[in-house]
Amino acid sequence: MVDRARDNLANCLAHEAFSFVEADLAETAVRSLLTGVDTMFHLAAVPGVRDSWGERFADYARNNVLATQRTTEACCSAGVRRLVVASSSSVYGDGVRPRTARTNRRGRPRRTG
C-alpha cells in the first residue's frame, strides 16, 4: 500500500469500530475475515480501464473481477448486511451529462487503446 493511502486511513484507524485488512482478495480466505462484520467497504482494485485489455488483462481480471466475486460471495455467506464497492469513474465514459440514477444509463465507455 502506498504511503498516501496509509495517511488517508489515519482517522479511520483511530476509530474503535474500524478495522483495516491488507490482503490479496483473490487468494485470502475472505470469509474468515468477516466474523461480526455488518458493512464491508471493498476498495481494492486496479483503477481505470487501460489495463482491462491487452498484456495486463490477466492481472486486471484477477484483481478486479475475481477478487470482487470472491469478496461478494464471502459477504453473502457471512451474512454481511452491506457491501460497498468503489469503482473507477472511467466506467461512466465521456458522456455529455453527469451520470445520475435519473439520467439515461447508457454510457460511452472510454476507449482503452
Side-chain angles (χ1 to χ4, degrees):
M1 171 184 280
V2 294
D3 290 335
R4 186 180 58 169
R6 279 197 202 285
D7 291 344
N8 289 339
L9 278 174
N11 288 333
C12 295
L13 293 170
H15 194 284
E16 66 184 46
F18 179 84
S19 63
F20 175 76
V21 176
E22 186 171 353
D24 182 343
L25 297 175
E27 293 183 13
T28 299
V30 180
R31 171 69 176 85
S32 68
L33 302 172
L34 299 175
T35 302
V37 172
D38 177 71
T39 303
M40 179 178 180
F41 291 85
H42 171 38
L43 307 176
V46 176
V49 295
R50 285 198 175 103
D51 290 337
S52 66
W53 300 102
E55 294 177 15
R56 305 254 353 236
F57 176 74
D59 291 336
Y60 184 89
R62 179 183 186 281
N63 294 325
N64 287 27
V65 179
L66 178 62
T68 300
Q69 175 192 6
R70 294 185 79 241
T71 300
T72 302
E73 290 173 354
C75 285
C76 287
S77 72
V80 174
R81 289 180 15 155
R82 270 173 276 173
L83 171 62
V84 180
V85 179
S87 177
S88 167
S89 61
S90 298
V91 301
Y92 294 114
D94 293 324
V96 177
R97 297 185 297 191
R99 312 300 288 167
T100 68
R102 295 182 183 151
T103 63
N104 181 345
R105 294 181 186 212
R106 215 171 143 200
R108 290 185 227 152
R110 291 186 180 156
R111 188 177 171 166
T112 62

